[in-house]
Amino acid sequence: MKNILIQPMSQKAFAPFGDLIDFNRDPDFAINNGMCDRYHALAQSDTLGDDAKTIISLGLGRPYHLPLTLKMMERHPLGSQAFIPLEEKPFLVVVAQDNNGKPTEPVALMAEAGQGVNYHRNIWHAVLTPLETQAKFLIVDRLGGGNNLEEHFFEEPYLVTE
Amino acid sequence: MKNILIQPMSQKAFAPFGDLIDFNRDPDFAINNGMCDRYHALAQSDTLGDDAKTIISLGLGRPYHLPLTLKMMERHPLGSQAFIPLEEKPFLVVVAQDNNGKPTEPVALMAEAGQGVNYHRNIWHAVLTPLETQAKFLIVDRLGGGNNLEEHFFEEPYLVTE
């Protein structure tokens, strides 16, 4: 099996794949008479289709453990997808660009406690991967017609390690 | 000052004003080969305008204290607005229907730890109101042209009490 070494999550590392949603930046402006700092438009929902809507869902994910055998990645051709942890726990993000309908070499990034991600449309990613204990997530993605899920199974799985 | 007594938050109590986003229900279906329960489409983003987008922002709110003097409510004529706490803390929700451009008698609901809300378009609501300590929220609302904020200042404020 080929190895993938997990890298730290950062705005820069994740930028080619989507938007990092976290408080590690200066607020953009204050609202409510100065009572709330707003970190504005960290991510934008991108949904294709005249009937498409952006929806808010919740996910309760069962845990995975490292080292992780990565057999499959998926992508959503019609919409972005955001996962924001509702508990202060790290989770594993594995992403890849597309090359003629297949993921390129995957990149593994460890999202720190409090960091959420918004996968851009068509970015290959692993399934939601909380580690060690089950975890709650907010999900922002698309409701609408059409096939919005593609899966790719690797001929040779990857081993994702710390 | 007129008094408003805070009621417990519930799906039923909040339904006339928006969507309650919490785990106090059965999951709708499993994804990721059974590894994640999805509580599906608990809220839908509603944004008016050809150029309008749904955006994801963060808010760091400074705390208020009870009893609360409610002088003002606001509404967003062009888009829904969701606030989901990123920490397990209660926060105060005050909402009202519209009556010819003014809020009707406000209703105060105490969101329990883990409960988020999505205000429907044009529903009058108080500003983000964490209690006792500052709190982090995820915000899902609208980016686009046009005036999306109306404020109403009460001639006689309300006193919101437990």
Side-chain angles (χ1 to χ4, degrees):
Chain A
M1 268 194 296
K2 285 180 281 185
N3 266 285
I4 302 174
L5 195 65
I6 301 170
Q7 308 289 329
M9 175 61 83
S10 71
Q11 203 91 37
K12 191 177 169 189
F14 192 63
F17 309 103
D19 312 298
L20 188 61
I21 300 166
D22 75 359
F23 283 94
N24 294 325
R25 45 176 282 165
D26 291 327
D28 293 285
F29 48 86
I31 57 174
N32 301 346
N33 251 335
M35 287 294 280
C36 182
D37 286 332
R38 181 159 168 143
Y39 300 70
H40 185 61
L42 304 187
Q44 185 169 302
S45 174
D46 172 21
T47 54
L48 291 191
D50 287 344
D51 67 333
K53 290 284 182 184
T54 298
I55 54 170
I56 301 173
S57 303
L58 292 170
L60 180 62
R62 276 168 276 284
Y64 294 79
H65 303 277
L66 297 178
L68 181 91
T69 303
L70 179 72
K71 298 175 183 171
M72 190 272 286
M73 295 180 84
E74 62 182 44
R75 65 171 178 168
H76 308 294
L78 301 178
S80 57
Q81 187 174 47
F83 289 96
I84 301 101
L86 295 175
E87 296 159 296
E88 298 258 326
K89 295 176 184 174
F91 72 106
L92 182 66
V93 171
V94 185
V95 280
Q97 300 293 339
D98 181 70
N99 181 20
N100 289 317
K102 291 181 184 177
T104 57
E105 201 73 10
V107 173
L109 301 165
M110 186 68 79
E112 292 166 30
Q115 292 184 322
V117 295
N118 183 45
Y119 299 121
H120 286 168
R121 197 163 50 76
N122 266 328
I123 287 294
W124 290 100
H125 56 273
V127 297
L128 182 65
T129 313
L131 296 171
E132 304 305 327
T133 57
Q134 73 169 20
K136 296 173 178 172
F137 290 84
L138 193 89
I139 307 170
V140 181
D141 60 5
R142 176 188 179 274
L143 185 71
N147 178 23
N148 192 25
L149 176 63
E150 289 179 24
E151 293 178 325
H152 178 81
F153 290 84
F154 296 109
E155 285 182 29
E156 183 191 356
Y158 291 89
L159 190 69
V160 182
T161 60
E162 282 182 293
Chain B
M1 267 194 296
K2 286 180 279 187
N3 266 285
I4 302 173
L5 196 65
I6 300 170
Q7 309 290 329
M9 174 61 83
S10 71
Q11 203 91 38
K12 190 177 170 190
F14 193 64
F17 309 103
D19 312 298
L20 188 61
I21 301 166
D22 76 359
F23 283 94
N24 293 326
R25 45 177 281 163
D26 291 327
D28 293 284
F29 49 86
I31 57 174
N32 301 347
N33 250 334
M35 287 293 280
C36 182
D37 287 333
R38 181 159 168 142
Y39 300 71
H40 185 62
L42 303 188
Q44 186 169 302
S45 175
D46 171 21
T47 53
L48 291 191
D50 288 343
D51 67 334
K53 291 283 182 183
T54 298
I55 54 170
I56 302 173
S57 303
L58 292 170
L60 180 62
R62 274 168 278 284
Y64 295 78
H65 304 277
L66 296 178
L68 181 90
T69 304
L70 179 71
K71 298 175 183 171
M72 191 273 287
M73 295 181 84
E74 62 182 44
R75 65 171 178 167
H76 307 294
L78 302 178
S80 58
Q81 186 174 48
F83 289 96
I84 301 102
L86 296 175
E87 296 158 295
E88 298 259 325
K89 294 176 184 173
F91 71 106
L92 183 66
V93 170
V94 186
V95 281
Q97 299 293 339
D98 181 71
N99 181 19
N100 288 318
K102 291 181 186 177
T104 58
E105 201 74 9
V107 174
L109 301 166
M110 186 68 78
E112 291 166 32
Q115 292 184 323
V117 295
N118 184 46
Y119 300 120
H120 286 169
R121 197 162 52 77
N122 266 329
I123 288 294
W124 291 101
H125 57 273
V127 297
L128 181 66
T129 313
L131 296 171
E132 302 307 325
T133 58
Q134 71 169 21
K136 296 173 180 173
F137 289 84
L138 194 89
I139 308 169
V140 181
D141 60 4
R142 176 189 180 273
L143 185 71
N147 177 24
N148 192 27
L149 175 63
E150 288 179 23
E151 294 178 324
H152 179 81
F153 291 83
F154 296 110
E155 285 183 30
E156 183 190 356
Y158 291 89
L159 190 69
V160 182
T161 60
E162 281 183 293

